[in-house]
Short mmCIF file of all heavy atoms in Angstrom, two decimals:
data_model
loop_
_atom_site.label_atom_id
_atom_site.label_comp_id
_atom_site.label_asym_id
_atom_site.label_seq_id
_atom_site.Cartn_x
_atom_site.Cartn_y
_atom_site.Cartn_z
N GLN A 190 224.96 123.59 101.78
CA GLN A 190 225.69 122.83 100.76
C GLN A 190 225.42 123.40 99.37
O GLN A 190 224.34 123.89 99.07
CB GLN A 190 225.28 121.36 100.82
CG GLN A 190 225.58 120.70 102.16
CD GLN A 190 227.03 120.84 102.57
OE1 GLN A 190 227.94 120.39 101.87
NE2 GLN A 190 227.26 121.48 103.72
N VAL A 191 226.44 123.31 98.52
CA VAL A 191 226.39 123.85 97.16
C VAL A 191 226.26 122.70 96.16
O VAL A 191 226.91 121.65 96.32
CB VAL A 191 227.67 124.66 96.87
CG1 VAL A 191 227.77 125.04 95.40
CG2 VAL A 191 227.70 125.92 97.74
N LEU A 192 225.42 122.89 95.16
CA LEU A 192 225.30 121.89 94.09
C LEU A 192 226.57 121.91 93.24
O LEU A 192 226.99 122.96 92.76
CB LEU A 192 224.09 122.18 93.22
CG LEU A 192 222.72 121.97 93.87
CD1 LEU A 192 221.62 122.54 92.98
CD2 LEU A 192 222.48 120.49 94.14
N SER A 193 227.17 120.75 93.07
CA SER A 193 228.38 120.65 92.26
C SER A 193 228.06 120.82 90.78
O SER A 193 226.89 120.76 90.37
CB SER A 193 229.04 119.29 92.49
OG SER A 193 228.20 118.26 91.98
N ALA A 194 229.10 121.00 89.97
CA ALA A 194 228.91 121.10 88.53
C ALA A 194 228.28 119.81 88.00
O ALA A 194 227.41 119.83 87.11
CB ALA A 194 230.25 121.35 87.84
N ASP A 195 228.68 118.67 88.57
CA ASP A 195 228.12 117.39 88.16
C ASP A 195 226.64 117.31 88.52
O ASP A 195 225.83 116.81 87.73
CB ASP A 195 228.89 116.25 88.84
CG ASP A 195 228.42 114.88 88.39
OD1 ASP A 195 228.52 114.59 87.18
OD2 ASP A 195 227.94 114.10 89.24
N ALA A 196 226.29 117.80 89.71
CA ALA A 196 224.88 117.77 90.13
C ALA A 196 224.03 118.65 89.23
O ALA A 196 222.92 118.27 88.83
CB ALA A 196 224.76 118.23 91.58
N LEU A 197 224.55 119.83 88.89
CA LEU A 197 223.81 120.72 87.99
C LEU A 197 223.62 120.08 86.62
O LEU A 197 222.55 120.20 86.00
CB LEU A 197 224.54 122.06 87.86
CG LEU A 197 224.52 122.96 89.10
CD1 LEU A 197 225.45 124.15 88.90
CD2 LEU A 197 223.12 123.43 89.42
N GLU A 198 224.65 119.38 86.15
CA GLU A 198 224.54 118.70 84.85
C GLU A 198 223.47 117.61 84.90
O GLU A 198 222.68 117.45 83.95
CB GLU A 198 225.89 118.09 84.48
CG GLU A 198 225.94 117.51 83.09
CD GLU A 198 227.34 117.09 82.67
OE1 GLU A 198 228.30 117.44 83.37
OE2 GLU A 198 227.45 116.40 81.64
N HIS A 199 223.40 116.89 86.01
CA HIS A 199 222.37 115.86 86.16
C HIS A 199 220.97 116.47 86.22
O HIS A 199 220.02 115.93 85.63
CB HIS A 199 222.63 115.04 87.44
CG HIS A 199 223.57 113.90 87.26
ND1 HIS A 199 224.95 114.05 87.32
CD2 HIS A 199 223.36 112.58 87.01
CE1 HIS A 199 225.53 112.89 87.13
NE2 HIS A 199 224.60 111.98 86.93
N LEU A 200 220.84 117.60 86.94
CA LEU A 200 219.53 118.27 86.99
C LEU A 200 219.10 118.74 85.61
O LEU A 200 217.94 118.60 85.22
CB LEU A 200 219.60 119.46 87.95
CG LEU A 200 219.63 119.13 89.44
CD1 LEU A 200 219.87 120.40 90.25
CD2 LEU A 200 218.34 118.45 89.90
N ALA A 201 220.06 119.29 84.87
CA ALA A 201 219.76 119.76 83.52
C ALA A 201 219.33 118.60 82.62
O ALA A 201 218.38 118.72 81.84
CB ALA A 201 220.97 120.47 82.93
N ALA A 202 220.03 117.48 82.75
CA ALA A 202 219.70 116.31 81.93
C ALA A 202 218.31 115.78 82.26
O ALA A 202 217.55 115.40 81.37
CB ALA A 202 220.75 115.22 82.14
N LEU A 203 217.98 115.77 83.54
CA LEU A 203 216.67 115.31 83.96
C LEU A 203 215.58 116.23 83.42
O LEU A 203 214.54 115.78 82.92
CB LEU A 203 216.62 115.26 85.49
CG LEU A 203 215.48 114.47 86.14
CD1 LEU A 203 215.56 113.00 85.77
CD2 LEU A 203 215.54 114.64 87.67
N ALA A 204 215.82 117.54 83.53
CA ALA A 204 214.85 118.51 83.03
C ALA A 204 214.68 118.38 81.51
O ALA A 204 213.56 118.46 80.98
CB ALA A 204 215.28 119.93 83.39
N GLU A 205 215.78 118.15 80.82
CA GLU A 205 215.73 118.03 79.37
C GLU A 205 214.99 116.75 78.95
O GLU A 205 214.17 116.76 78.03
CB GLU A 205 217.16 118.03 78.82
CG GLU A 205 217.26 118.19 77.32
CD GLU A 205 216.99 119.61 76.85
OE1 GLU A 205 216.84 120.52 77.69
OE2 GLU A 205 216.91 119.80 75.62
N LYS A 206 215.28 115.68 79.65
CA LYS A 206 214.69 114.39 79.29
C LYS A 206 213.17 114.41 79.43
O LYS A 206 212.46 113.81 78.61
CB LYS A 206 215.29 113.30 80.18
CG LYS A 206 214.78 111.89 79.87
CD LYS A 206 215.50 110.84 80.72
CE LYS A 206 215.01 109.45 80.42
NZ LYS A 206 215.74 108.43 81.23
N TYR A 207 212.67 115.10 80.47
CA TYR A 207 211.23 115.07 80.75
C TYR A 207 210.54 116.41 80.47
O TYR A 207 209.41 116.61 80.89
CB TYR A 207 211.00 114.65 82.20
CG TYR A 207 211.45 113.21 82.46
CD1 TYR A 207 212.67 112.95 83.07
CD2 TYR A 207 210.67 112.14 82.05
CE1 TYR A 207 213.09 111.65 83.30
CE2 TYR A 207 211.09 110.83 82.27
CZ TYR A 207 212.29 110.59 82.89
OH TYR A 207 212.72 109.30 83.11
N ASP A 208 211.23 117.30 79.77
CA ASP A 208 210.64 118.59 79.37
C ASP A 208 210.14 119.37 80.59
O ASP A 208 208.98 119.78 80.66
CB ASP A 208 209.50 118.38 78.37
CG ASP A 208 209.04 119.70 77.75
OD1 ASP A 208 209.83 120.66 77.73
OD2 ASP A 208 207.88 119.77 77.30
N LEU A 209 211.04 119.61 81.54
CA LEU A 209 210.69 120.31 82.77
C LEU A 209 211.37 121.66 82.85
O LEU A 209 212.44 121.87 82.28
CB LEU A 209 211.13 119.48 83.99
CG LEU A 209 210.72 118.01 84.03
CD1 LEU A 209 211.32 117.34 85.26
CD2 LEU A 209 209.22 117.86 84.01
N ALA A 210 210.76 122.59 83.56
CA ALA A 210 211.44 123.84 83.92
C ALA A 210 212.37 123.53 85.09
O ALA A 210 212.02 122.77 85.99
CB ALA A 210 210.43 124.90 84.31
N LEU A 211 213.55 124.14 85.07
CA LEU A 211 214.51 123.99 86.17
C LEU A 211 214.69 125.35 86.82
O LEU A 211 215.27 126.26 86.23
CB LEU A 211 215.84 123.45 85.65
CG LEU A 211 216.98 123.33 86.67
CD1 LEU A 211 216.56 122.49 87.87
CD2 LEU A 211 218.22 122.75 86.01
N ILE A 212 214.13 125.50 88.02
CA ILE A 212 214.16 126.78 88.74
C ILE A 212 215.21 126.69 89.84
O ILE A 212 215.09 125.85 90.75
CB ILE A 212 212.77 127.11 89.34
CG1 ILE A 212 211.71 127.14 88.23
CG2 ILE A 212 212.81 128.43 90.10
CD1 ILE A 212 210.28 127.16 88.74
N LEU A 213 216.24 127.52 89.74
CA LEU A 213 217.33 127.50 90.71
C LEU A 213 217.25 128.73 91.61
O LEU A 213 217.36 129.86 91.15
CB LEU A 213 218.67 127.45 89.98
CG LEU A 213 218.96 126.15 89.23
CD1 LEU A 213 220.24 126.24 88.44
CD2 LEU A 213 219.03 124.96 90.20
N ASP A 214 217.05 128.49 92.89
CA ASP A 214 217.01 129.54 93.90
C ASP A 214 218.45 129.89 94.26
O ASP A 214 219.14 129.12 94.91
CB ASP A 214 216.23 129.04 95.12
CG ASP A 214 216.13 130.07 96.23
OD1 ASP A 214 216.84 131.09 96.18
OD2 ASP A 214 215.36 129.84 97.18
N ALA A 215 218.87 131.08 93.83
CA ALA A 215 220.26 131.50 94.01
C ALA A 215 220.38 132.64 95.01
O ALA A 215 221.27 133.49 94.91
CB ALA A 215 220.85 131.92 92.66
N ALA A 216 219.49 132.66 96.02
CA ALA A 216 219.46 133.77 96.98
C ALA A 216 220.78 133.93 97.73
O ALA A 216 221.16 135.03 98.11
CB ALA A 216 218.31 133.57 97.97
N TYR A 217 221.50 132.81 97.95
CA TYR A 217 222.75 132.86 98.71
C TYR A 217 223.98 132.69 97.81
O TYR A 217 225.09 132.47 98.31
CB TYR A 217 222.75 131.76 99.77
CG TYR A 217 221.73 131.96 100.86
CD1 TYR A 217 220.45 131.43 100.74
CD2 TYR A 217 222.04 132.67 102.01
CE1 TYR A 217 219.50 131.61 101.73
CE2 TYR A 217 221.10 132.86 103.02
CZ TYR A 217 219.83 132.33 102.87
OH TYR A 217 218.89 132.52 103.86
N GLU A 218 223.78 132.79 96.53
CA GLU A 218 224.83 132.45 95.58
C GLU A 218 226.12 133.24 95.77
O GLU A 218 227.23 132.70 95.68
CB GLU A 218 224.29 132.68 94.16
CG GLU A 218 225.17 132.19 93.06
CD GLU A 218 224.44 132.30 91.74
OE1 GLU A 218 224.14 133.43 91.31
OE2 GLU A 218 224.15 131.25 91.15
N GLN A 219 226.00 134.54 96.05
CA GLN A 219 227.20 135.37 96.21
C GLN A 219 227.88 135.13 97.56
O GLN A 219 228.96 135.67 97.81
CB GLN A 219 226.83 136.84 96.07
CG GLN A 219 226.39 137.25 94.67
CD GLN A 219 227.49 137.01 93.65
OE1 GLN A 219 228.56 137.60 93.71
NE2 GLN A 219 227.23 136.11 92.70
N LEU A 220 227.26 134.31 98.40
CA LEU A 220 227.87 133.93 99.67
C LEU A 220 228.32 132.47 99.61
O LEU A 220 228.25 131.74 100.59
CB LEU A 220 226.89 134.15 100.83
CG LEU A 220 226.43 135.59 101.04
CD1 LEU A 220 225.50 135.68 102.22
CD2 LEU A 220 227.62 136.53 101.22
N SER A 221 228.78 132.05 98.45
CA SER A 221 229.32 130.71 98.27
C SER A 221 230.83 130.81 98.13
O SER A 221 231.34 131.60 97.33
CB SER A 221 228.73 130.05 97.01
OG SER A 221 229.43 128.86 96.71
N TRP A 222 231.56 130.04 98.93
CA TRP A 222 233.02 130.01 98.80
C TRP A 222 233.48 128.76 98.07
O TRP A 222 234.63 128.63 97.72
CB TRP A 222 233.71 130.12 100.15
CG TRP A 222 233.08 129.35 101.27
CD1 TRP A 222 233.39 128.09 101.67
CD2 TRP A 222 232.02 129.80 102.12
NE1 TRP A 222 232.58 127.73 102.72
CE2 TRP A 222 231.74 128.77 103.03
CE3 TRP A 222 231.28 130.99 102.22
CZ2 TRP A 222 230.75 128.86 104.00
CZ3 TRP A 222 230.30 131.08 103.18
CH2 TRP A 222 230.05 130.03 104.07
N LYS A 223 232.57 127.82 97.83
CA LYS A 223 232.88 126.72 96.93
C LYS A 223 232.69 127.23 95.51
O LYS A 223 231.69 127.87 95.20
CB LYS A 223 231.94 125.55 97.18
CG LYS A 223 232.20 124.36 96.25
CD LYS A 223 231.28 123.19 96.55
CE LYS A 223 231.55 122.03 95.60
NZ LYS A 223 230.69 120.86 95.90
N PRO A 224 233.67 126.99 94.63
CA PRO A 224 233.54 127.50 93.26
C PRO A 224 232.25 127.07 92.58
O PRO A 224 231.82 125.93 92.71
CB PRO A 224 234.77 126.89 92.56
CG PRO A 224 235.74 126.64 93.65
CD PRO A 224 234.92 126.26 94.86
N LEU A 225 231.64 128.01 91.87
CA LEU A 225 230.40 127.74 91.14
C LEU A 225 230.72 127.49 89.68
O LEU A 225 231.48 128.26 89.07
CB LEU A 225 229.45 128.93 91.28
CG LEU A 225 229.04 129.30 92.71
CD1 LEU A 225 228.26 130.61 92.72
CD2 LEU A 225 228.24 128.19 93.35
N ASN A 226 230.16 126.45 89.12
CA ASN A 226 230.42 126.10 87.73
C ASN A 226 229.10 125.74 87.07
O ASN A 226 228.50 124.71 87.39
CB ASN A 226 231.40 124.93 87.65
CG ASN A 226 231.84 124.63 86.24
OD1 ASN A 226 231.16 124.97 85.27
ND2 ASN A 226 232.99 123.99 86.09
N PHE A 227 228.65 126.59 86.14
CA PHE A 227 227.34 126.40 85.51
C PHE A 227 227.46 125.82 84.10
O PHE A 227 226.49 125.81 83.36
CB PHE A 227 226.59 127.73 85.47
CG PHE A 227 226.31 128.28 86.84
CD1 PHE A 227 227.14 129.24 87.40
CD2 PHE A 227 225.24 127.82 87.58
CE1 PHE A 227 226.90 129.74 88.65
CE2 PHE A 227 224.99 128.31 88.85
CZ PHE A 227 225.82 129.27 89.39
N LYS A 228 228.65 125.34 83.75
CA LYS A 228 228.87 124.83 82.41
C LYS A 228 227.88 123.72 82.05
O LYS A 228 227.41 123.61 80.93
CB LYS A 228 230.31 124.32 82.31
CG LYS A 228 230.82 124.17 80.89
CD LYS A 228 232.31 123.81 80.88
CE LYS A 228 233.16 124.90 81.46
NZ LYS A 228 234.62 124.57 81.37
N GLY A 229 227.54 122.90 83.06
CA GLY A 229 226.65 121.78 82.80
C GLY A 229 225.23 122.19 82.49
O GLY A 229 224.43 121.37 82.00
N LEU A 230 224.88 123.45 82.75
CA LEU A 230 223.53 123.93 82.47
C LEU A 230 223.39 124.54 81.08
O LEU A 230 222.27 124.79 80.62
CB LEU A 230 223.13 125.00 83.51
CG LEU A 230 222.93 124.54 84.95
CD1 LEU A 230 222.59 125.74 85.82
CD2 LEU A 230 221.84 123.49 85.05
N ARG A 231 224.51 124.79 80.45
CA ARG A 231 224.47 125.55 79.19
C ARG A 231 223.57 124.91 78.14
O ARG A 231 222.78 125.60 77.48
CB ARG A 231 225.90 125.69 78.64
CG ARG A 231 225.98 126.58 77.41
CD ARG A 231 227.42 126.71 76.91
NE ARG A 231 227.46 127.49 75.69
CZ ARG A 231 227.49 128.81 75.63
NH1 ARG A 231 227.49 129.51 76.75
NH2 ARG A 231 227.52 129.44 74.48
N SER A 232 223.63 123.59 78.02
CA SER A 232 222.83 122.92 76.98
C SER A 232 221.33 122.98 77.27
O SER A 232 220.51 122.80 76.38
CB SER A 232 223.26 121.45 76.84
OG SER A 232 223.02 120.76 78.06
N ALA A 233 220.98 123.25 78.54
CA ALA A 233 219.56 123.32 78.92
C ALA A 233 219.15 124.74 79.28
O ALA A 233 218.12 124.94 79.93
CB ALA A 233 219.30 122.38 80.10
N ARG A 234 219.90 125.73 78.81
CA ARG A 234 219.64 127.12 79.22
C ARG A 234 218.27 127.62 78.79
O ARG A 234 217.74 128.57 79.36
CB ARG A 234 220.73 128.05 78.71
CG ARG A 234 220.90 128.11 77.20
CD ARG A 234 222.16 128.90 76.84
NE ARG A 234 222.37 129.01 75.40
CZ ARG A 234 222.96 128.08 74.66
NH1 ARG A 234 223.37 126.95 75.21
NH2 ARG A 234 223.14 128.26 73.37
#
């Protein structure tokens, strides 16, 4: 399963709220056929 843009935005918000590092394991990323949207992570880059 792929994390949706909404899920990534929620993870970013959680990391930002509690001052956490957000480590995303993207080992299979290029083998995703569901569109990837990282816009929600931009504010927490």
Side-chain angles (χ1 to χ4, degrees):
Q190 300 305 300
V191 170
L192 291 169
S193 66
D195 184 61
L197 290 172
E198 187 172 349
H199 274 84
L200 286 173
L203 195 63
E205 192 75 7
K206 182 175 180 179
Y207 295 101
D208 190 23
L209 310 176
L211 176 55
I212 303 168
L213 292 175
D214 180 348
Y217 293 91
E218 189 172 65
Q219 292 300 297
L220 299 181
S221 170
W222 40 93
K223 179 178 179 178
L225 301 172
N226 187 337
F227 298 97
K228 198 174 296 183
L230 292 178
R231 185 179 176 84
S232 62
R234 60 189 181 277

